[in-house]
Amino acid sequence: MEPKLSHKIYLKELGKLIPIVWLEKVQYIHSWLLLKWLLFCNSKPLLSNQKSAMIFSPHQDDETFGCGGMIAYKREHGIPVVVVFITDGKGSRSLDLDCQNQIVQTRKQEAISALGILGVESSHIHFLSKPDGCLPELSNEEHQQTIREISELIQHYQPEEIYVPHRKDCHRDHEATYNLVKTVIREANIPVEVFQYPVWLFWRAPLFILLKIQDIAAAYRFSITSVQDKKKRAIASYSSQIENLPRGFIKQFLNSHEIFFKSEL
């Protein structure tokens, strides 16, 4: 049975009971335990290969948090990697237009710098610039346009692997990105391997409450030991964003492995 409360309502109610500092500690312990369990008990090794990849990232930084090691490893071995950013990353709509535009430009430059460290050429970085925080609310026309843009990119590059946020990643833009890419692959019947990567999943989705065992089945671990430093430096490139994120949240991405979930679309 699905939970009656959305993850936002759940966290809001939990926040009334637990001070924010303690809540972050609880979230860190929860994510740490889940990662250790997956790494040592419930995942298969994902072997390195020569398959080209396309990464779909809702915002500028999700690709590095979730797939930075994989990206760097593939690029070090001369394997093509394309990164597609779905939203403009401007954040709060309460800011004035000039501030929003400045944020968009800052995050775009941070993304180019981070991906440069990981080895991705600027010609293989695409910005679709959809409104941040509003992917599930796109008009029908904008939704269809986004579907066409994603389809054209996949058809043009013909990647052998596609990486998308987890379908229950506890962020509306992340889950919408998964659904958009899933729609394209299904409608066009594209033969490609699909992997889901977690960003907010372990931090915001309590196991047995919002997160079910079946949600994290088919888990794979990929060793990024040889490129850990590159991933760490790429994360640091997002200086305008990491200063506002919990330290424990960032720490969970500095491990020697990345976790992916194979998806049957």
Side-chain angles (χ1 to χ4, degrees):
M1 180 172 148
E2 290 298 321
K4 294 181 180 179
L5 295 177
S6 71
H7 71 274
K8 287 185 177 180
I9 297 174
Y10 176 86
L11 289 172
K12 183 178 180 180
E13 294 302 315
L14 189 60
K16 293 177 181 177
L17 302 175
I18 306 175
I20 187 65
V21 173
W22 285 102
L23 179 58
E24 288 183 3
K25 288 183 179 180
V26 169
Q27 289 174 306
Y28 175 71
I29 293 170
H30 177 269
S31 66
W32 184 86
L33 289 173
L34 262 180
L35 282 169
K36 294 301 179 184
W37 176 66
L38 286 169
L39 285 174
F40 296 110
C41 303
N42 198 51
S43 63
K44 300 176 182 178
L46 183 60
L47 303 178
S48 58
N49 58 54
Q50 294 294 309
K51 295 180 180 178
S52 59
M54 180 172 283
I55 318 296
F56 286 93
S57 180
H59 312 100
Q60 294 79 17
D61 73 358
D62 295 317
E63 83 299 336
T64 297
F65 281 135
C67 310
M70 174 67 76
I71 294 171
Y73 183 90
K74 283 184 177 291
R75 292 304 301 132
E76 279 197 355
H77 291 79
I79 304 168
V81 175
V82 176
V83 178
V84 182
F85 293 105
I86 306 297
T87 76
D88 54 21
K90 65 185 175 185
S92 175
R93 283 169 285 176
S94 64
L95 299 175
D96 64 61
L97 186 59
D98 288 340
C99 287
Q100 290 182 359
N101 290 336
Q102 181 59 50
I103 290 172
V104 170
Q105 292 305 313
T106 296
R107 293 185 175 174
K108 184 176 288 189
Q109 289 304 313
E110 288 177 342
I112 293 171
S113 296
L115 289 172
I117 292 170
L118 299 178
V120 181
E121 307 94 333
S122 58
S123 59
H124 281 58
I125 305 172
H126 297 269
F127 299 90
L128 302 190
S129 300
K130 307 306 174 184
D132 186 3
C134 301
L135 278 187
E137 302 166 359
L138 294 177
S139 67
N140 183 62
E141 181 180 355
E142 187 71 20
H143 179 84
Q144 292 304 319
Q145 175 63 27
T146 305
I147 291 290
R148 286 194 295 271
E149 290 173 351
I150 291 173
S151 180
E152 288 170 2
L153 286 168
I154 294 176
Q155 296 290 354
H156 175 74
Y157 287 103
Q158 298 186 354
E160 297 165 283
E161 294 177 345
I162 283 180
Y163 292 79
V164 292
H166 194 276
R167 62 186 180 85
K168 293 181 69 173
D169 206 42
C170 294
H171 190 299
R172 54 193 286 134
D173 285 344
H174 291 217
E175 294 170 9
T177 296
Y178 170 87
N179 288 323
L180 286 165
V181 176
K182 178 182 71 173
T183 298
V184 170
I185 292 173
R186 282 185 172 177
E187 289 183 353
N189 195 26
I190 298 171
V192 64
E193 284 189 276
V194 179
F195 292 92
Q196 300 174 60
Y197 61 88
V199 178
W200 290 104
L201 183 71
F202 302 147
W203 191 259
R204 287 181 174 171
L207 189 61
F208 306 124
I209 301 176
L210 298 180
L211 186 63
K212 310 300 182 184
I213 291 296
Q214 58 265 35
D215 295 326
I216 51 177
Y220 289 82
R221 62 186 183 275
F222 183 73
S223 175
I224 62 167
T225 303
S226 63
V227 292
Q228 257 185 293
D229 181 63
K230 283 187 176 181
K231 180 173 181 177
K232 184 177 181 179
R233 289 190 288 118
I235 289 174
S237 295
Y238 284 108
S239 57
S240 72
Q241 301 192 69
I242 59 176
E243 62 185 16
N244 298 315
L245 293 171
R247 294 171 66 182
F249 172 80
I250 297 172
K251 189 176 180 181
Q252 67 182 324
F253 299 104
L254 303 178
N255 294 306
S256 60
H257 289 77
E258 289 176 340
I259 295 291
F260 300 102
F261 301 93
K262 200 160 189 179
S263 181
E264 299 296 335
L265 299 183

